[in-house]
Amino acid sequence: MEGDFIKINKWLLPLSWVYGCVVQARNYLFEMGVLKSESFTTPVISVGNITVGGTGKTPHIEYLIRLFEKSAKVAVLSRGYKRKSKGFLIANEQSTAQDIGDEPYQMKQKFPDVTIAVEKKRAKGIKLLLQNDPKPDVILLDDAFQHRYVKPGINIMLVDYHRLIIYDKLLPAGRLREPLSGKNRADIIIVTKCPKNLTPMEYRVVTKAMDLYPYQELYFSTLSYGKLVPLFPEGAQTQQAQKTDEMTDLQNQNCLLLTGIASPRQMIEDIKPYVASLHPLTFPDHHNFKTQDIERINAKFNQLPEPKCIVTTEKDAARINETEGLSKAVRSHIFVLPLEIEFMLEQTDKFNQKIINYVRKNSRNSILVKGKDDHKPQNSHHSGDRPRTISFRNN
């Protein structure tokens, strides 16, 4: 199974045992009430994981934003990983990735009317958001599964299909940030980045291996891609750039896939069939591109035969856009590939209704009213899978 791809450093297992004892002691203090978890009357939905590295949190947060953005006041609270600023900040049009972090920046660019805030202490951040006028109807917590000082109304845990937690070990031998028992706190578990061709047997194997409690719900999601967009529109004036829009337009291209994300494997597998040749150039998650990195990108692109292009992620684009030194050729041939998620096994309606029902029951000043398109969820670039729209009506 996929666990075969997980590398465990057996020499570090004794340190993992010590680390596990510390984490379990912390969790025990929360469970006994010595350390307090704070609840809020405003609906709070947390999306996170128990592993180091990306499991697709941002696309899933964006899915939830689309579920409510047209009819509710949505706020997203993130810690703003690797930002240069301190304290509580609400993003505005002038905010940069350096100010708020690459993922919050990405979300603000895509959803300018949504409140995007950063604060390391989530309980403090929620209280400050609730002081806003108007107050948010729904607060989405980005990467807060282990931030136990807040008790969300729905706790969503993400698991990368290519690195299933059931085969992993605790840090530093593996990539688990807490013992496997931590998954028991999740109301919803989503196995992310699944290949689109999973067989019924593979679904059953993963479902059984996850060993969930009856109160937990298991979902499977896969990556979905939008239209390619030039990162530097002012430089993309070549005939090739003007014709590059859909993934199928890359069929004759020698493609440099530039990523600074934790787990690009599924993306590599998805893009490969669309291009003449694929050349991944991978950097660590949230990587800040330095001069030597830019030189490496320029050199790698120059080595590719014509016709050629560069494809990168929205998350990486937020950081690349703030760098200097990219060659004119690179700037005119680099495209951003928007990323969304789709639920598998026809689970879209079930997931949406779970979230909607929670918000409906816990909204103090509003009630949910189904919209006209409620029965056919659809993503922004896949007409058949857009999250259902919802209307709020004041009492």
Side-chain angles (χ1 to χ4, degrees), residues 6-21 163 167-176:
I6 296 178
K7 295 181 180 180
I8 304 298
N9 190 329
K10 296 182 179 180
W11 297 102
L12 295 177
L13 285 174
L15 292 178
S16 295
W17 181 85
V18 174
Y19 172 81
C21 289
R163 194 175 180 100
Y167 302 116
D168 215 334
K169 297 293 183 182
L170 283 167
L171 291 168
R175 294 176 65 181
L176 292 181

Side-chain angles (χ1 to χ4, degrees), residues 226-230 236 238-253 255 275 307-311 332-337:
K227 293 184 177 181
L228 292 158
V229 180
T238 65
Q239 185 177 7
Q240 179 267 331
Q242 293 172 1
K243 290 183 177 181
T244 302
D245 186 25
E246 303 286 352
M247 289 274 284
T248 51
D249 295 330
L250 300 177
Q251 58 186 346
N252 297 318
Q253 299 288 320
C255 179
V275 297
K308 57 187 177 180
C309 68
I310 300 180
V311 172
S332 63
H333 289 80
I334 186 167
F335 296 87
V336 181
L337 183 60

Side-chain angles (χ1 to χ4, degrees), residues 138-206:
V138 184
I139 297 176
L140 307 178
L141 297 183
D142 179 24
D143 195 15
F145 189 81
Q146 290 191 296
H147 192 90
R148 298 197 61 182
Y149 289 99
V150 171
K151 186 176 182 180
I154 291 186
N155 219 352
I156 301 175
M157 190 183 84
L158 307 182
V159 178
D160 188 340
Y161 174 83
H162 297 285
R163 194 175 180 100
L164 293 175
I165 57 175
I166 53 178
Y167 302 116
D168 215 334
K169 297 293 183 182
L170 283 167
L171 291 168
R175 294 176 65 181
L176 292 181
R177 296 191 286 186
E178 63 176 287
L180 192 59
S181 59
K183 69 182 174 64
N184 298 339
R185 299 197 307 275
D187 303 295
I188 293 173
I189 293 179
I190 304 176
V191 180
T192 68
K193 304 181 182 180
C194 296
K196 290 180 173 61
N197 60 350
L198 277 187
T199 66
M201 176 61 72
E202 288 173 315
Y203 284 119
R204 289 194 291 270
V205 169
V206 174

Side-chain angles (χ1 to χ4, degrees), residues 5-230:
F5 296 101
I6 296 178
K7 295 181 180 180
I8 304 298
N9 190 329
K10 296 182 179 180
W11 297 102
L12 295 177
L13 285 174
L15 292 178
S16 295
W17 181 85
V18 174
Y19 172 81
C21 289
V22 174
V23 175
Q24 285 182 316
R26 177 180 181 267
N27 284 337
Y28 180 76
L29 292 176
F30 276 105
E31 291 160 8
M32 295 301 295
V34 178
L35 296 177
K36 304 294 183 181
S37 297
E38 193 166 355
S39 299
F40 295 86
T41 54
T42 298
V44 176
I45 302 171
S46 171
V47 178
N49 56 29
I50 61 171
T51 57
V52 174
T55 51
K57 293 184 292 294
T58 301
H60 285 79
I61 287 283
E62 291 178 352
Y63 182 95
L64 293 173
I65 292 175
R66 292 187 184 96
L67 196 60
F68 293 107
E69 66 167 331
K70 291 185 178 180
S71 50
K73 294 178 285 292
V74 182
V76 178
L77 180 61
S78 172
R79 62 173 170 162
Y81 184 62
K82 282 196 173 183
R83 64 182 172 126
K84 302 300 182 182
S85 60
K86 300 290 184 181
F88 178 79
L89 285 177
I90 293 181
N92 56 40
E93 294 179 355
Q94 286 73 45
S95 298
T96 66
Q98 296 286 328
D99 298 327
I100 59 176
D102 52 8
E103 290 163 338
Y105 176 82
Q106 171 186 323
M107 287 186 275
K108 188 62 180 177
Q109 294 298 303
K110 295 174 75 171
F111 306 99
D113 296 329
V114 171
T115 299
I116 308 292
V118 291
E119 168 58 56
K120 184 177 181 180
K121 297 179 180 179
R122 302 307 207 289
K124 175 183 176 183
I126 292 174
K127 292 173 184 176
L128 291 171
L129 281 172
L130 293 176
Q131 293 176 11
N132 271 6
D133 186 20
K135 294 181 181 180
D137 296 306
V138 184
I139 297 176
L140 307 178
L141 297 183
D142 179 24
D143 195 15
F145 189 81
Q146 290 191 296
H147 192 90
R148 298 197 61 182
Y149 289 99
V150 171
K151 186 176 182 180
I154 291 186
N155 219 352
I156 301 175
M157 190 183 84
L158 307 182
V159 178
D160 188 340
Y161 174 83
H162 297 285
R163 194 175 180 100
L164 293 175
I165 57 175
I166 53 178
Y167 302 116
D168 215 334
K169 297 293 183 182
L170 283 167
L171 291 168
R175 294 176 65 181
L176 292 181
R177 296 191 286 186
E178 63 176 287
L180 192 59
S181 59
K183 69 182 174 64
N184 298 339
R185 299 197 307 275
D187 303 295
I188 293 173
I189 293 179
I190 304 176
V191 180
T192 68
K193 304 181 182 180
C194 296
K196 290 180 173 61
N197 60 350
L198 277 187
T199 66
M201 176 61 72
E202 288 173 315
Y203 284 119
R204 289 194 291 270
V205 169
V206 174
T207 300
K208 183 177 180 180
M210 289 300 296
D211 191 27
L212 302 185
Y213 284 101
Y215 62 83
Q216 297 177 298
E217 295 184 5
L218 181 64
Y219 295 84
F220 295 81
S221 69
T222 187
L223 300 180
S224 172
Y225 303 97
K227 293 184 177 181
L228 292 158
V229 180

